[in-house]
Amino acid sequence: MLPTSISADDKASLRSIPSVEPPSSDGVPVVGLEASPRPAFAEESSSLVHGTSNVDDGLRHRARLRYGALALVPLAFVGIGLGLSGASTAQLLGVAAAASLAAIVSWRLADRHARRQAAWLARVSEECCAIDMEWRYREGRLRTDPAMPTEIRRFFRDVDRMARRIDGSMERLRTAVKEGEALRGQLEEVLHSREQEIQTRTVELQAANLDLERLARQDGLTGIANHRRFVEFADQVWRIGIRDQRPVSVIMIDVDHFKDFNDIYGHQAGDQCLKKVSAAIASIARRPLDLAARYGGEEFAIVLGQTEPEDALQLAEQARRAVVAEDIAHSGSLDYGVVTISLGVASLRPHRDTEVKTLISLADKALYRAKRNGRNRTAM
């Protein structure tokens, strides 16, 4: 039985063995090889040690069967022939003695032949055990027995080279994996940073879009709704009035003698005047379905949802008095001496066959009647 384990004494003696480099008869550099820093096939060599422990017995058994068959079969045929031919007892005993002698000789020959066949396996097992000890317990150079057959030395040389290549490839693979992990971490950081930046830019873009949307519907000078917003809102209120069957009212407003005001006080003063007038007008549009807007130039408009004609007329008068209360001096207004407004009021109950443009046109006509009747008044 071959050794399959190493004692502490064997390890100590192995560490003390010097590295030798005997010459190679076939020119194969099998000694003095740099040992792999890791047991490249130490596990495999240990398995080989265990696997070859029973090879000797198996070879002996098969050789005995073969040699025995070669020796005993002819003698058996001879004995059978003599028995059938009526040979004497002495002849049969001679054949039996010859068969016994042949069995003994064949047994010995089979055992000797099996030992010769298993000799090289025993050497391979011993060398594998030595390599296993060398790689597991000693750092240095891999040594082989110079008496080892050339084929075995070549085998260990090739296996050692293969083990070194595998070790080098595994080390490069580990390095590549580490570099890949580092690159992945960097990529994840970059992606996270980009995602944060995209989210920030998205929020900024949404805020900018809301500002643009608000500016698109807001008058830049007065800060109230512009003409576009007024038309959209009036159409929405009109559809609500169709659904609820409630009247909708519109007030059209014009600043009296505003051209003369600009000529006398300048356009900057005119802008300030429009701001004050718009604030006074917007003060009466306080409900969700009410909206005050700059219609264009010095003209303003108010849409009043679900408002009866009488209530619309009262709100128009409140707006007129609020503008007069601002007490904006206007020397061009000979009758009043301050800035005043004229207002036209119209009210309709919405119908599917009628558009809101009709209501706005009626309010505009009422405004011109108020201006013809002396300004600073409300007409309906």
Side-chain angles (χ1 to χ4, degrees), residues 121-182:
L121 287 176
R123 180 60 61 89
V124 170
S125 177
E126 292 173 359
E127 293 299 329
C128 287
C129 185
I131 291 174
D132 187 22
M133 289 189 296
E134 188 77 22
W135 274 342
R136 288 179 183 271
Y137 308 109
R138 178 182 176 86
E139 295 182 0
R141 304 170 69 83
L142 176 63
R143 302 183 312 281
T144 56
D145 189 352
M148 182 185 299
T150 302
E151 291 76 7
I152 302 300
R153 286 186 289 162
R154 288 181 181 273
F155 168 74
F156 282 116
R157 178 200 62 183
D158 295 339
V159 171
D160 186 72
R161 288 179 178 176
M162 180 180 65
R164 296 174 190 280
R165 293 194 183 110
I166 293 175
D167 283 342
S169 300
M170 290 300 296
E171 188 63 31
R172 289 191 295 271
L173 179 60
R174 293 188 187 96
T175 303
V177 169
K178 290 180 181 179
E179 293 177 353
E181 291 292 335

Side-chain angles (χ1 to χ4, degrees), residues 9 16 27 64 103 139-140 146 156-157 177-178 215 232 235 242 272 293-294 313 321 348 369 379:
D9 295 337
S16 63
R64 288 166 183 169
E139 295 182 0
F156 282 116
R157 178 200 62 183
V177 169
K178 290 180 181 179
L215 292 174
E232 293 176 352
D235 187 66
I242 294 175
Q272 296 299 321
R294 186 181 180 187
L313 190 61
R321 289 193 293 268
L348 288 177
R369 286 198 299 271

